[in-house]
Amino acid sequence: MPPSEGADASSAPKEDAKPSPSSPPSLDAVRLRKQPPPEGRESLWRRRSAIFSFWAVVLCLGLPVWWKTTAIYRADLPLQDMTDWAEGKICKPVFPLRIAVEAPLPPQDAHHLLRTTQHALDDLNEFSAHHLRLMLADPPAPANASQQVVVDGTRNTSDDEDIALSIRLIPVETGATPRSHLQPYSPTLDVYYTPNQIPPPSSTGSPLATFIAHELHKIFAEEQAQLAYLLSTASGGHSSKMKSLSPETSAELQRQSTRALKYAPTYHLTFSLFTPTSTPSAWDIESALRQYVAPLLDSFSAISNFTVDTQVQLYATFSPSIRQPEYDEALKAWTLRKEDLSGFINAAEWPLSPSIGKGPTVNFVLYVPDKTQSPLLVKESGANSWLIPQWGGVAILNPTAPGKDAIVSASLTKEALGPAMHTFSNQLISLLGLPQMPSSLPLRISTLARVRAASLIFSASSTLGALAQVYQKLPSIPVPDSVAKSVDLALAHLQLACDRLREGRFQGALELARIAEGEAEKAFFERSMVGQVYFPDEHKVAVYLPLLGPVAVPLVMAALKELKSGLSALRGR
Amino acid sequence: MLSFLHFLLLIALVACASASSDYHERLLLRPLPQSTLLASFNFRSMESSVAFAQQNFRYFPRSFGQILQHAHTKELHVRFSVGRWDADNWGQRPWHGAREGGTGVELWAWIEAQSEEEAFSRWLTLVNSLSGLFCASLNFIDATKTIRPVMSFVPEGDHANSTSLHLLHGTLPHEVVCTENLTPFLKLLPCKGKAGISSLLDGHKLFDASFQTMAIDVRPVCEGAGGSCVLEMEQTVDMVLDIARSKRPRDDPIPRARPIEEIECDTGKGYNSGDTCYPLDKHAEPAWNLTELFGRPLKGACPLTEETGDDANTLCINTPPERTIQVNTTGKYAETRSASDTLRCYKLPIGAEFDLVLPEQQMTTGLVRAEPQLYAARSINGHGQERGSVQAVIKNPSETDAVEFVYLESLPWFMKPYLHTLRARVDTSSENPVRETYYRPAVDRRRGTHLELRMVIPAGSTLTLTYDFEKAILRYTEYPPDANRGFDVAPAVIRLLAPYQSVDKKGIYLRTTSLLLPLPTPDFSMPYNVIILTSTVMALGFGNIFNLLVRRFVGVDEVPALGAGGLKGVIMGKIERLKAKLGRA
C-alpha cells in the first residue's frame, strides 16, 4: 500500500474492504461521515440553470456556427427539371420540314397538286416526328383562302434558310415523264412532267403527285432513319413513336455514329506526312489542299469552322508493340495485320499533339513506307487506308512505280497526293457524320444540321441529368453559384432550341442547342466541384478535437451528474 | 607555340552560312585544356513566313510553331543550362555567350500586343504551353519572376513594327535540367537524332558534362527592305566533356585504380620505389573517338542538309595541324581544311556510320586560347537571418581598352536590396563607373526587383559592385518542401556594349553563376503545435470557469464519498478481495 495516500481516504477503505463486498458496512461508513449542509433550493436551481445555459449556448450557438462555418456551399439546382429533361419528358423533338414547290401552273391547279401530293406523302410517312410539309414557293396573289389552310396552316415564306428543299416543276414535251433530277450543289429537285399529268381538280390522286411523294420519301429516308435511331438511343419515352428499324440499318447507323466526332464549332485538321526514312521530305500540300479539301470545307462552313495545318515528319518508326510488316507472296506486297492497325500510330514518338485552341483535332496521316517495304497494304483486305473513329484517318501512299529512284519521290507532287486527298475527304465526311444519301451535298449538310441539333439537345439533357445525379449522390461536393447559373442558361437554351425545332427553324435550333450543350458541359466540369470530394466530414472533427474534447468533458460530466442527482431526488420523493 | 586562327573568327565562320537550303547543321569539336572537349552543336531550320502563317510546317516543328502563333510571339529565346563555364581555363565562351543561359531555365521573348496587360497574358500563355512542350516547370514563371529588361537585350530578328513588341524575360534558376528536356528538344529536329550530328546527343552523356547549355532561338529574318521573310529556328547545344570521365564504360562507371604495373611512374620523385608510385604526367593529348566519347555512333549525315559546298561539311574539328586524326567509315566522305589547317571539316556519308579516331599524341604546338573580354564572379556575403550583401567582381583583362557593359540583376521579391548601399568601385581610378541606372523595386508577392546598370571598366582594372539586402520572412505556405536548402537567385546577365562588337546582331554576353540564398525558415510543425496549445489553454480556462459556476463547495470532511473512499476505495476493495481469494486457494 503506498504511503502517500490521503489520510482520510486510506483509513476508510481498509476497514471496509476486509469484509467481502456487502453494502451495509460501506453505507455505515458513509453515514458516519459529516454530512454537508442541505443544499438550498435557490443554489440548486442556480447551478442547474448555469449548466442549462452552457448547454443552450453550445447547442443553439456553438454547434450551428461550427456547422455553418465548416459547411460546403451548395447552390440550389432545379433538380426536377434537369431529371425531366434527361428523361425526355419535356422536349419531344419534332422535325417539320418545309418543302417549297415552284409550279408554273394556275394557282388552283397548283394548290390541288400540292394537296394530293401532301396526302400521298402523309400516307407514306411512318415516322410521326419527321414530317414533310409542302408549300408554294412564290404564292401567287390572293388565292383561295380555304385551300391555303389545307396546304399549310401558317404561311411562312419569310426565311429561305428554313426551306429544306425546293421542288421545281418543269413541263417538258420529250423523254420519260415524270422524271426527277436532284441538283448536286443546291437543295433543288427538278421534276419533269408533261402538262397532261396535272391532276384534274376533281380527281383525288394522280401519278405525278404519287411520284413526287415517293421521290421525297426516298430522299429523306436516310435522314428519317438517322433521327429514328437517335431518338431510340436517347433515353426516355421516345420509343413509343419511333418507327421500327431493321437490325442492319440500326447496326450501320450505330457504326456511323460511333465513328463521328462530337460536334464542335471549330475543328482543327492536321495533315501529316510520315515516313520512316528521310524521303520524301517535301510535299505540294498547299495546292493539293486548295484543290481537294478547300471546296469541301467551304460547304461545311455553315455548320463548323475549320483550321488546317500540315507537317512533315521524317524518321518515324513503328511502335515496338505491333508486329513489323511481313512480305506476302500472293499479294506481292508487304502486309500489316488488321489487328495491328490500331497500334499503327506510334503515339509516343509521332508528334500528333492536339492543336492549341478550342475544338477537337482531326488527324490525317499520310504514311510513305520505306522503299524496302513497299508496297505496304493491309493483309486481310489489301486496302491502303483506314479510318480511326473519332480521331482521324490514315492513308499509305505507295510509290506508283516501285523500285524507282529516290530522287523521284523526294518531293510529292499534287498529282501524287490526289488519291490520298480523296481518301482524306471521304474520311472527313464520315468523321463529321455526314449521311451517305442523298446525292445533293447541301441537302446532306442540312440533314446533318438537324441530326446534330437533335443530338446536341439529347447530350445536353443527359449531361444535366448526370449533374443532377452527382448533386444528389455526393453530398460532400461544393456547388458554386456559377454552376447554378450555367444550368439555368442551359435549360433556357434547351427550351428555346426545342421550340425552334418545332417551328422548323433548324439552323437556329442548332445554334441554341450548341450554347445549351456548352453551358451544360461547363456546369458539369466545373473545376471547384471536384476539389473537396475526398475531404470527408471526419477531418472537420479531427481538426477541432483538441478543443472540443477538453471542453466537452466537463460539460457532459456536469450534465450527467446533475441529471443523476435530479433523478435520485425525484425517486426519493 | 604557334599562333593559329582566332576562336572568334572561327565561330563566325561556322555561323555564317548562306541561306540557300532550309536546314543546316554543324558540330564543332574543340579540345580544351585539362583534357576536356567542347562540342558545339548547331541546327538551323528555316520556314518561309508565308508557309508559317498558313501553318504548313516542313522543317519548323508544328507543335512549337502553333505555340508561337497562339501567343503572338515574334522572337523567342529559351535556354536550359547546367554547370559553369570555367572562363579561367577554357577561355572565351562559345557563340560569345549569345547562345548561353544562366543555370536552370531562362526564357525571353518579344511578344506582339497592344498593351502591357495583353503582353503579359500572352506571356503566361507562352510559358504554360512551352512548359508542356519541354517537360519543364516553365509554368512557374509568373509575375514575380518576370522582368522587362530595358538595355540588356535587343531583338536579333528583323521586325517590321517594333513599337507593338514587348520584351519579357523570366528565369527559373532552381530548375534541374535533365534528360526529359533533351527528348523534346531532339523531337523538334527534322532528323530527330536518327541521322546527322544529332545522333550523337545522348542524355546520359549530355547531362554528365561539366558544362552544358541547350538553346532554342526563333527569329524572323528578312532579306532587304520589303523582301521575303523567313522564320529561322536555331537550336544549339554546347557541352564541355571531360574526356576521361566520358570514356568510362556505361556498365562500369566507377573509376578504379589501375594495377601498379600498368602505371608509368615518375622516377624523379624521392619516394619512388616498388610499392609507391607517382604517376608520370606526360602532358599528352588523350586518345578518344566519337563513339566512345558520346556513347553512341554518328549515323552519317542528315539527308536534308546541303549536299555540296561549305554547308555540306557538318562536322568540324579545331585542332593544331600536327594532330593525327583517323577517319573510320564505310561510306563516302570528304575532308576539307581551312584556316591554316587548324579547322578540319568533314562531309559525312549518308546512311553509313562515321567515326573520328584521335590517338594519344605528344603535342609540340597548341592553339591560342582566346581570352574572354570580361571575367565576372558574384557571391553573397554576410551572416545571420536578417541581412546580407551581394558582391560582384568584374575584371577587364585588356591592357588597352575600356569596356562598357550592362549589368542586369533579376532578384526575387523576398531578397530586398537597399539601393542606397549600392557601391561600384574600380581599383585603378576613383571615378564612379556607373553611367546609367534603371531600377524597378520589388512589390511583395507581386514582382521581383529589376536592376540594370550601365557601367564602364577602364583597361586592366577590376570593378567591385556591392549592395546590401534584407531577407523577407515568407508565409508558411510559401516555403518549398526543401526550404532549408535555400532559395536560388538568378544569375546576373552582362552584355558588352563597347568596344567589342559581334559580327551579327547576337551580341556578346556573359552570365555569373546563380546564388543560393538561405532564408530564415520556421519550424514546420508549428501550426499543429499552435492548435494544440491554444486548444489546451482555452479548455483549461473554460474548465475552471465552468467548474466555479456549477460546483458546490463544501468542507473537506463533508465530501460525499463515492462508494467508500471514492474510486480508489472501490479498486482497493477489489484487489483485497482478489488477494483474499488467492490466499484461500
Side-chain angles (χ1 to χ4, degrees):
Chain A
M1 202 85 355
S4 63
E5 278 171 343
D8 56 335
S10 65
S11 57
K14 257 188 189 168
E15 291 163 28
D16 305 331
K18 282 256 162 81
S20 41
S22 51
S23 47
S26 59
L27 276 176
D28 289 343
V30 174
R31 246 175 246 135
L32 287 175
R33 289 181 155 276
K34 195 174 165 191
Q35 288 289 330
E39 198 170 20
R41 203 181 165 74
E42 192 191 337
S43 72
L44 191 73
W45 280 113
R46 198 194 299 132
R47 185 165 80 237
R48 285 187 180 164
S49 57
I51 293 174
F52 176 78
S53 54
F54 266 101
W55 273 101
V57 167
V58 165
L59 292 180
C60 304
L61 197 68
L63 280 183
V65 165
W66 181 49
W67 190 254
K68 200 90 187 163
T69 48
T70 59
I72 299 161
Y73 180 73
R74 283 163 73 83
D76 284 328
L77 296 185
L79 294 177
Q80 193 53 47
D81 282 0
M82 289 156 76
T83 325
D84 287 352
W85 269 100
E87 287 167 0
K89 283 184 192 157
I90 294 183
C91 176
K92 308 213 185 298
V94 286
F95 306 92
L97 267 63
R98 292 200 183 82
I99 291 165
V101 179
E102 284 176 38
L105 290 175
Q108 206 110 8
D109 285 355
H111 285 306
H112 182 65
L113 177 66
L114 277 193
R115 199 172 48 188
T116 45
T117 316
Q118 185 74 53
H119 277 307
L121 256 182
D122 293 346
D123 289 345
L124 281 170
N125 195 6
E126 308 161 341
F127 182 45
S128 57
H130 191 270
H131 184 67
L132 300 173
R133 271 186 201 167
L134 297 176
M135 50 190 273
L136 274 186
D138 216 9
N144 194 331
S146 65
Q147 284 197 339
Q148 220 168 300
V149 172
V150 175
V151 170
D152 192 351
T154 53
R155 181 162 291 272
N156 185 1
T157 53
S158 58
D159 215 332
D160 245 35
E161 241 180 50
D162 298 329
I163 291 167
L165 179 73
S166 328
I167 299 176
R168 273 197 312 202
L169 290 174
I170 301 166
V172 286
E173 299 295 335
T174 53
T177 51
R179 64 174 194 271
S180 69
H181 173 66
L182 190 61
Q183 302 229 342
Y185 295 110
S186 78
T188 311
L189 180 74
D190 292 338
V191 175
Y192 301 95
Y193 70 103
T194 46
N196 60 3
Q197 281 164 329
I198 297 296
S202 53
S203 71
T204 50
S206 89
L208 181 59
T210 328
F211 174 76
I212 294 174
H214 271 102
E215 284 297 310
L216 286 176
H217 186 68
K218 210 163 71 195
I219 286 170
F220 289 103
E222 174 144 352
E223 179 178 332
Q224 286 195 352
Q226 274 201 349
L227 290 172
Y229 173 75
L230 198 65
L231 292 185
S232 70
T233 48
S235 61
H238 301 297
S239 46
S240 54
K241 62 176 180 180
M242 171 199 104
K243 78 169 184 180
S244 58
L245 292 166
S246 68
E248 300 90 66
T249 328
S250 167
E252 170 64 24
L253 286 169
Q254 189 183 359
R255 218 159 61 84
Q256 276 183 19
S257 68
T258 48
R259 246 185 217 179
L261 286 154
K262 235 181 100 190
Y263 177 78
T266 306
Y267 292 103
H268 304 285
L269 307 186
T270 300
F271 292 87
S272 315
L273 171 67
F274 281 90
T275 167
T277 60
S278 61
T279 53
S281 67
W283 55 343
D284 198 6
I285 186 68
E286 208 182 305
S287 57
L289 284 177
R290 210 180 301 132
Q291 180 165 351
Y292 299 109
V293 181
L296 183 67
L297 297 185
D298 279 346
S299 48
F300 275 116
S301 56
I303 299 186
S304 293
N305 295 322
F306 293 91
T307 68
V308 180
D309 54 87
T310 67
Q311 62 174 341
V312 180
Q313 294 291 338
L314 312 178
Y315 296 101
T317 48
F318 290 129
S319 113
S321 62
I322 69 163
R323 199 179 293 177
Q324 293 300 309
E326 293 158 357
Y327 191 70
D328 190 325
E329 285 296 338
L331 277 169
K332 291 218 180 328
W334 291 81
T335 55
L336 281 166
R337 295 181 321 147
K338 202 174 176 183
E339 56 265 38
D340 282 342
L341 294 187
S342 59
F344 181 83
I345 300 295
N346 186 352
E349 295 271 328
W350 296 7
L352 289 169
S353 51
S355 294
I356 297 184
K358 275 182 188 161
T361 302
V362 191
N363 286 289
F364 294 104
V365 171
L366 182 67
Y367 186 82
V368 182
D370 196 346
K371 261 190 297 173
T372 57
Q373 288 192 340
S374 171
L376 186 68
L377 299 171
V378 180
K379 190 178 187 111
E380 282 78 4
S381 58
N384 67 348
S385 66
W386 62 91
L387 184 140
I388 300 170
Q390 304 191 2
W391 188 83
V394 180
I396 296 174
L397 183 74
N398 291 305
T400 40
K404 263 198 177 175
D405 286 348
I407 305 138
V408 180
S409 57
S411 175
L412 292 173
T413 58
K414 188 173 78 178
E415 288 70 33
L417 290 171
M421 284 295 150
H422 280 302
T423 312
F424 288 153
S425 308
N426 287 332
Q427 284 171 342
L428 180 63
I429 286 172
S430 18
L431 283 169
L432 291 175
L434 204 64
Q436 308 292 320
M437 286 281 291
S439 54
S440 166
L441 189 62
L443 259 188
R444 281 156 78 184
I445 288 173
S446 63
T447 298
L448 183 63
R450 284 187 282 276
V451 175
R452 282 284 154 95
S455 68
L456 278 176
I457 289 177
F458 289 139
S459 90
S461 318
S462 74
T463 308
L464 289 179
L467 180 61
Q469 275 192 3
V470 166
Y471 188 90
Q472 286 160 333
K473 292 253 172 71
L474 295 174
S476 64
I477 61 164
V479 180
D481 276 334
S482 62
V483 171
K485 210 173 128 197
S486 291
V487 167
D488 288 344
L489 274 175
L491 286 175
H493 281 99
L494 273 179
Q495 190 58 54
L496 285 173
C498 197
D499 294 346
R500 288 282 196 290
L501 272 190
R502 201 165 292 139
E503 291 160 17
R505 290 157 68 184
F506 303 110
Q507 203 61 41
L510 180 64
E511 296 286 330
L512 291 164
R514 193 187 289 174
I515 299 171
E517 164 80 359
E519 290 293 339
E521 296 276 311
K522 205 168 103 189
F524 189 78
F525 291 107
E526 169 67 40
R527 236 192 287 165
S528 59
M529 289 209 301
V530 286
Q532 286 197 322
V533 173
Y534 301 108
F535 187 69
D537 279 345
E538 289 87 332
H539 283 208
K540 277 190 276 188
V541 180
V543 170
Y544 291 101
L545 203 65
L547 177 65
L548 296 183
V551 169
V553 168
L555 271 178
V556 172
M557 290 312 285
L560 282 180
K561 202 169 159 192
E562 225 27 63
L563 272 178
K564 214 166 157 188
S565 68
L567 281 177
S568 62
L570 271 179
R571 210 173 290 150
R573 210 184 285 167
Chain B
M1 294 283 264
L2 283 171
S3 159
F4 287 109
L5 187 80
H6 204 265
F7 191 45
L8 220 155
L9 212 106
L10 196 79
I11 289 283
L13 225 155
V14 170
C16 285
S18 61
S20 57
S21 171
D22 285 340
Y23 179 68
H24 312 269
E25 58 179 34
R26 176 160 293 188
L27 166 62
L28 175 69
L29 298 168
R30 183 182 151 84
L32 294 176
Q34 294 166 341
S35 65
T36 49
L37 178 81
L38 167 69
S40 291
F41 294 80
N42 182 256
F43 312 91
R44 276 182 305 134
S45 30
M46 249 84 83
E47 197 80 62
S48 83
S49 51
V50 180
F52 182 76
Q54 289 180 346
Q55 305 209 4
N56 290 327
F57 301 108
R58 189 175 168 214
Y59 293 127
F60 205 94
R62 167 178 159 263
S63 46
F64 198 58
Q66 286 188 333
I67 289 174
L68 295 186
Q69 285 177 346
H70 191 67
H72 298 263
T73 306
K74 297 297 161 196
E75 184 174 330
L76 173 81
H77 304 270
V78 193
R79 304 279 185 270
F80 299 89
S81 312
V82 180
R84 181 179 76 95
W85 178 263
D86 183 2
D88 291 326
N89 284 311
W90 300 341
Q92 221 170 64
R93 286 151 195 268
W95 318 101
H96 296 301
R99 292 289 174 261
E100 188 193 322
T103 310
V105 178
E106 192 174 338
L107 171 76
W108 66 99
W110 276 268
I111 291 173
E112 192 173 55
Q114 296 308 316
S115 65
E116 301 234 323
E117 290 74 33
E118 194 183 26
F120 186 69
S121 73
R122 285 177 178 173
W123 167 254
L124 289 184
T125 317
L126 177 74
V127 294
N128 282 307
S129 319
L130 288 179
S131 159
L133 186 66
F134 290 112
C135 304
S137 318
L138 284 166
N139 51 328
F140 285 102
I141 296 182
D142 52 7
T144 61
K145 296 186 175 92
T146 303
I147 55 167
R148 295 160 186 267
V150 178
M151 299 178 278
S152 300
F153 297 98
V154 282
E156 279 178 28
D158 308 310
H159 297 284
N161 52 342
S162 47
T163 46
S164 60
L165 289 182
H166 296 258
L167 167 65
L168 290 112
H169 177 274
T171 51
L172 282 179
H174 186 57
E175 181 76 6
V176 181
V177 182
C178 200
T179 331
E180 76 251 21
N181 306 120
L182 177 69
T183 314
F185 183 90
L186 283 182
K187 272 191 185 173
L188 298 180
L189 295 169
C191 281
K192 299 199 169 41
K194 303 271 173 60
I197 54 169
S198 57
S199 59
L200 287 176
L201 286 171
D202 174 70
H204 294 92
K205 297 287 180 188
L206 179 60
F207 297 105
D208 194 38
S210 315
F211 164 85
Q212 73 86 13
T213 175
M214 295 194 297
I216 297 177
D217 300 87
V218 180
R219 61 187 184 125
V221 181
C222 295
E223 277 170 19
S228 63
C229 289
V230 292
L231 200 70
E232 183 192 272
M233 170 156 154
E234 190 172 350
Q235 286 176 267
T236 316
V237 178
D238 291 299
M239 59 204 282
V240 178
L241 287 163
D242 187 318
I243 294 178
R245 187 179 167 88
S246 292
K247 275 161 68 180
R248 284 184 213 152
R250 196 182 284 179
D251 51 342
D252 183 24
I254 304 161
R256 281 171 230 282
R258 281 179 296 164
I260 200 163
E261 298 80 41
E262 289 177 20
I263 303 173
E264 229 177 300
C265 297
D266 187 357
T267 48
K269 300 280 179 195
Y271 48 76
N272 184 55
S273 71
D275 55 347
T276 44
C277 174
Y278 187 84
L280 189 67
D281 188 7
K282 291 184 289 182
H283 298 289
E285 285 287 310
W288 55 269
N289 62 54
L290 286 180
T291 313
E292 203 178 27
L293 214 56
F294 290 95
R296 42 173 74 184
L298 176 55
K299 293 180 188 131
C302 174
L304 300 178
T305 49
E306 200 84 341
E307 301 206 0
T308 53
D310 187 44
D311 279 341
N313 298 325
T314 47
L315 174 63
C316 291
I317 179 161
N318 178 215
T319 52
E322 64 164 319
R323 186 88 166 103
T324 321
I325 300 177
Q326 292 157 11
V327 174
N328 201 349
T329 178
T330 55
K332 207 168 125 272
Y333 74 97
E335 182 185 324
T336 45
R337 292 183 180 227
S338 54
S340 331
D341 286 357
T342 54
L343 188 67
R344 279 175 256 190
C345 288
Y346 299 90
K347 180 175 176 288
L348 301 178
I350 290 179
E353 288 191 2
F354 182 91
D355 201 358
L356 288 181
V357 182
L358 284 86
E360 188 172 298
Q361 195 177 3
Q362 199 72 41
M363 302 293 286
T364 54
T365 56
L367 292 174
V368 164
R369 181 167 54 87
E371 197 172 19
Q373 292 92 344
L374 282 184
Y375 292 96
R378 189 179 63 155
S379 55
I380 285 186
N381 300 336
H383 57 86
Q385 305 259 300
E386 203 184 346
R387 278 167 222 282
S389 73
V390 168
Q391 181 184 43
V393 179
I394 299 158
K395 198 174 98 189
N396 181 5
S398 161
E399 294 301 326
T400 51
D401 295 320
V403 176
E404 187 181 359
F405 64 95
V406 179
Y407 178 87
L408 166 73
E409 286 261 37
S410 164
L411 302 174
W413 65 265
F414 43 80
M415 181 178 170
K416 295 171 177 167
Y418 295 123
L419 203 65
H420 71 276
T421 62
L422 184 84
R423 300 272 180 280
R425 241 171 345 92
V426 177
D427 55 353
T428 53
S429 80
S430 56
E431 197 194 349
N432 186 4
V434 178
R435 294 283 182 274
E436 206 178 325
T437 308
Y438 180 88
Y439 175 63
R440 193 162 186 249
V443 178
D444 277 5
R445 296 178 178 85
R446 300 264 297 283
R447 66 170 196 230
T449 306
H450 167 199
L451 174 66
E452 267 181 290
L453 302 167
R454 191 162 64 83
M455 295 190 276
V456 175
I457 315 186
S461 15
T462 303
L463 186 152
T464 313
L465 180 79
T466 57
Y467 58 87
D468 293 350
F469 63 86
E470 190 189 68
K471 300 173 182 177
I473 292 179
L474 301 187
R475 286 181 192 144
Y476 178 72
T477 48
E478 285 169 342
Y479 287 95
D482 55 348
N484 288 305
R485 176 184 169 269
F487 291 73
D488 292 271
V489 179
V493 180
I494 295 170
R495 174 176 169 233
L496 270 67
L497 297 175
Y500 306 104
Q501 295 288 337
S502 62
V503 281
D504 42 23
K505 290 159 97 178
K506 287 174 187 165
I508 304 173
Y509 288 89
L510 62 149
R511 284 171 171 81
T512 65
T513 50
S514 63
L515 294 176
L516 201 56
L517 170 73
L519 282 191
T521 46
D523 170 13
F524 287 100
S525 63
M526 182 180 68
Y528 308 104
N529 301 344
V530 168
I531 288 178
I532 302 286
L533 193 70
T534 30
S535 298
T536 312
V537 168
M538 284 172 75
L540 267 177
F542 173 81
N544 281 333
I545 293 168
F546 183 74
N547 283 338
L548 277 176
L549 283 174
V550 302
R551 282 279 158 94
R552 189 183 168 205
F553 292 92
V554 292
V556 172
D557 49 347
E558 294 169 356
V559 177
L562 176 89
L567 185 68
K568 206 185 322 174
V570 173
I571 296 171
M572 288 300 168
K574 293 250 155 115
I575 292 173
E576 288 295 326
R577 190 153 44 128
L578 204 70
K579 266 186 186 165
K581 267 190 183 170
L582 285 174
R584 225 176 280 159

